[in-house]
Amino acid sequence: MFLPFQDTLYKATFLERVNRFILLCEKTDSNERITVHLQDPGRLLDLLIPGNTIYVSYHNEVHRKTKWTAELVTKPNTSILVSLRSTLPNKLIRNALQTKAIEELAFLEYRKQEYTYGGSRWDFLLQANHNPYLLEVKSVTMEMDGVGYFPDAPTKRGTKHVRELTEIQLSGHYQTGVLFVCQREDIRMVKPCHWIDPTFTEALHLAQNSGVEIRAVSCKLTLEGIYLGNVIPVEVSM
């Protein structure tokens, strides 16, 4: 399955990360220095390296402080593209769920996106036969030796979500699941990043043991859009 980009991409060079959500870049075609919004709050230490190639989109909207958004970055010294847009996986997975493009999730019927239940808003409400199913999507951008790691920065929000999914699972009212979406093509397996966030790792391990379904899918990025790949293993054991 393919999801095309709607915006024109402009090639630039990454110069500096000003803060968590702001980058300083230089456009390749004009050498203009631009301030770029970064959606991904992760550390991205292996990607945001000065001199690395980055692709940005332009948005001339009155309410925006920055007119540029970071879209893609190259893995250093390769042609592999990595998505920096944290909302992209949800769009891709929504389409995949609606069209049953993921064979392992084809038993689920799509019901709603951004469904509020308990103390949180969940990415997707699905249904398996007559049983409701809550699915939370997590974006993976960190890779080492072919393994994708999540998170690449401590995530209290992510831990809260996993713990709540565990409680909901144990209540018997909903089946629950976590889907890791790898926003790059060079990941063959996903693991929790225990040395960055041991609390999340422990929560994910408990979730799996409690019946929360943990899955991951690979993707491939081009300058035209994102391709959904295959389901890949998730190794949760501590």
Side-chain angles (χ1 to χ4, degrees), residues 62-85:
V62 176
H63 69 278
R64 288 186 56 137
K65 294 181 179 179
T66 59
K67 303 298 184 182
W68 299 92
T69 295
E71 300 284 352
L72 304 171
V73 65
T74 55
K75 178 181 179 179
N77 303 314
T78 76
S79 59
I80 293 174
L81 294 170
V82 183
S83 170
L84 295 175
R85 186 177 274 275

Side-chain angles (χ1 to χ4, degrees), residues 126-155:
L126 310 167
Q127 188 167 319
N129 297 321
H130 299 291
N131 302 316
Y133 190 115
L134 295 177
L135 181 67
E136 187 68 11
V137 173
K138 300 297 182 186
S139 169
V140 180
T141 56
M142 180 181 177
E143 176 271 339
M144 293 193 311
D145 297 325
V147 178
Y149 290 96
F150 182 93
D152 85 332
T155 173

Side-chain angles (χ1 to χ4, degrees), residues 64-122:
R64 288 186 56 137
K65 294 181 179 179
T66 59
K67 303 298 184 182
W68 299 92
T69 295
E71 300 284 352
L72 304 171
V73 65
T74 55
K75 178 181 179 179
N77 303 314
T78 76
S79 59
I80 293 174
L81 294 170
V82 183
S83 170
L84 295 175
R85 186 177 274 275
S86 56
T87 57
L88 186 58
N90 286 53
K91 294 180 181 178
L92 179 69
I93 298 305
R94 180 190 62 202
N95 289 3
L97 292 169
Q98 290 174 336
T99 60
K100 298 186 180 296
I102 304 174
E103 183 177 351
E104 288 81 353
L105 297 178
F107 68 96
L108 295 167
E109 298 295 329
Y110 178 88
R111 289 292 177 261
K112 187 177 182 181
Q113 188 172 9
E114 296 188 352
Y115 174 71
T116 300
Y117 179 80
S120 295
R121 185 171 60 182
W122 306 101

